[in-house]
Amino acid sequence: MQTTNLNRSEVERLVREVLTQKLRGGPTAREQHARQPSQAGGPPHPLVVNVSARHMHVKQEHLEILFGPGAKLTKLKDLYQQGEFASEQLVTVVGPRQRIIPNVRILGPMRDYTQIELSYTDGIYLGIDLPLRISGNHKDTPGCTILGPKGSLTIDKGVIRAERHVHMSTEDMSYYGVKDGDYMKLKIDGPCGVTFDRLKVRYHPKVVLEVHIDTDEGNACDLESATHMELIK
């Protein structure tokens, strides 16, 4: 059996690379696969599918209630879309059954509304009948109580199950032949392969092509084991 001797500097370099990837939320297997260069005539950007775990968006007024006057979000790591990040701030969500879900992370940047995004399973556990909505649509949505280290607040709306969606730029929409608000299918091959229907197209000129599904959906298809992913009009 052959052995390879690494000198100290080489070991330190490898350790730094691993730590840097962890701290930055390095690419998962599905992202590494998706980031392979596109073939000639293929889609303009690689497809990335990410699970959007339960989280909170918050406006400044509510952040200060939960974390104290003058509170600001502090970045833990960047997310896939430029300018978006997971913060170090965590809250506890309390449902009408007095059941709680702790350690719900706040995502930045700041919003002009407060919103909690949960999975269907989370809603059953908390006793909240979650409506399926695109982020920001809070009409006729339920509320909940939120606990922070410096205070608590009860919102009367803004708790949703996020509708699965794909972020697209102008170039992406042109390639796939869709427009903002259209629905597509997401086909995932693998040991637990599935095809998700009603994947909503969300347009922004500066976004990177990315699909968001929730935790229940990610578990159903065992996303980490996916061998191929495809958007279908």
Side-chain angles (χ1 to χ4, degrees):
M1 180 177 67
Q2 288 184 326
T3 60
T4 302
N5 294 322
L6 296 176
N7 60 37
R8 183 182 180 85
S9 62
E10 181 68 9
V11 172
E12 291 176 348
R13 183 186 66 78
L14 292 172
V15 171
R16 282 196 300 269
E17 286 182 0
V18 172
L19 289 175
T20 298
Q21 188 178 77
K22 290 292 185 183
L23 291 172
R24 288 178 179 173
T28 62
R30 61 183 176 275
E31 289 177 346
Q32 289 170 335
H33 170 76
R35 288 174 181 177
Q36 296 300 315
S38 298
Q39 296 180 351
H45 301 114
L47 174 62
V48 169
V49 179
N50 276 322
V51 172
S52 183
R54 66 175 77 105
H55 62 270
M56 177 181 183
H57 298 293
V58 68
K59 61 183 181 179
Q60 184 64 37
E61 173 191 353
H62 288 167
L63 182 69
E64 294 192 25
I65 291 173
L66 296 169
F67 290 88
K72 302 293 182 184
L73 292 180
T74 51
K75 184 187 297 186
L76 175 65
K77 69 175 183 178
D78 290 314
L79 299 179
Y80 193 66
Q81 297 295 335
Q82 185 176 5
E84 297 186 358
F85 61 91
S87 78
E88 294 181 346
Q89 280 73 19
L90 302 171
V91 298
T92 296
V93 176
V94 184
R97 294 178 178 175
Q98 300 306 305
R99 292 180 175 177
I100 67 170
I101 296 180
N103 300 323
V104 176
R105 194 169 301 281
I106 300 178
L107 302 187
M110 299 295 297
R111 303 292 179 98
D112 58 3
Y113 56 82
T114 292
Q115 175 177 290
I116 299 286
E117 295 183 32
L118 303 172
S119 71
Y120 183 59
T121 301
D122 290 335
I124 293 175
Y125 173 75
L126 291 174
I128 300 176
D129 186 12
L130 293 175
L132 189 65
R133 297 293 175 84
I134 283 294
S135 181
N137 180 2
H138 298 160
K139 183 179 179 181
D140 299 325
T141 59
C144 69
T145 296
I146 306 165
L147 309 179
K150 298 294 185 181
S152 65
L153 66 93
T154 298
I155 55 176
D156 59 6
K157 60 182 179 180
V159 184
I160 66 170
R161 180 188 181 192
E163 187 173 4
R164 53 182 172 260
H165 56 275
V166 53
H167 293 284
M168 285 189 172
S169 64
T170 304
E171 195 176 12
D172 296 316
M173 291 197 303
S174 176
Y175 173 81
Y176 287 102
V178 295
K179 63 183 183 300
D180 186 42
D182 282 354
Y183 285 97
M184 303 185 71
K185 297 179 187 290
L186 172 67
K187 185 174 185 291
I188 298 179
D189 294 327
C192 298
V194 298
T195 297
F196 289 112
D197 200 3
R198 293 187 62 80
L199 180 76
K200 193 161 191 174
V201 175
R202 300 192 63 189
Y203 167 72
H204 192 282
K206 296 183 179 180
V207 299
V208 181
L209 183 64
E210 181 188 20
V211 170
H212 280 159
I213 58 179
D214 70 16
T215 306
D216 288 344
E217 294 161 338
N219 289 338
C221 67
D222 189 15
L223 188 57
E224 290 295 338
S225 69
T227 57
H228 179 73
M229 296 171 289
E230 181 183 3
L231 288 172
I232 304 169
K233 185 177 177 181

